Amino acid sequence: MSDYCIASWGSDSWPGTIARPWLTEDPWNTLVVAGTIQRGDTLWIFGDLTLAAAAIQIPTDVDVRGGSRNHRPTVTGASGQPCFKFNDSVDGSNLRFIDTTGGSKGVLYGTNVTGSTVIACKIINWTTSGIDGGSSV
C-alpha cells in the first residue's frame, strides 16, 4: 500500500509523496490509466486545488481523502468535467473529507460501481448534478 499526495504547494516534477506532493491531478491520473495504482493505495489532498482539465480518477479499492472531517480541502472542478470520477467497475473505493465546487458534477460514478462511498464531503455549485452515476466521462 502506497500513499500519494496532491497539495497546493506541490510540483508535478516531484514524486507525489506526502513530503513532496504533486501540484495537479495529471500525474495521479497518468498512474491510474497506466495501472500503477494498486488496491489499498491512498491519495491525500492537502490545501485547495483547482483542476486543470479532467476529473480526479478513482480506481478500485483506493481511498481518496482530505485531512479530516474538520480539515477538508476544496477541489474546484474544470469546466464541463466532474471533480471526481469513480472509474467503471470500481469496487470498495472511498472519497472522504473533501469539499467540491464547480465543474459539471461533484462526483460521477462510472458504470457497474459497487461498494464505493462518498463520506463527509460537501458538494456545491455544480452545473449538471452533485452526484451522478451510470455514465462515463
Side-chain angles (χ1 to χ4, degrees), residues 5-84:
C5 185
I6 301 171
S8 56
W9 60 88
S11 169
D12 285 352
S13 64
W14 291 351
T17 62
I18 299 290
R20 296 184 52 145
W22 295 310
L23 178 62
T24 73
E25 71 279 6
D26 293 341
W28 168 262
N29 284 344
T30 298
L31 293 177
V32 170
V33 169
T36 305
I37 303 303
Q38 301 295 309
R39 290 176 178 264
D41 287 351
T42 299
L43 173 63
W44 294 89
I45 298 176
F46 296 117
D48 295 341
L49 174 66
T50 299
L51 302 180
I56 294 175
Q57 297 182 37
I58 305 175
T60 290
D61 197 22
V62 167
D63 211 23
V64 177
R65 59 183 303 146
S68 69
R69 183 179 301 273
N70 296 321
H71 296 95
R72 299 186 311 236
T74 298
V75 173
T76 301
S79 178
Q81 296 292 318
C83 291
F84 294 92

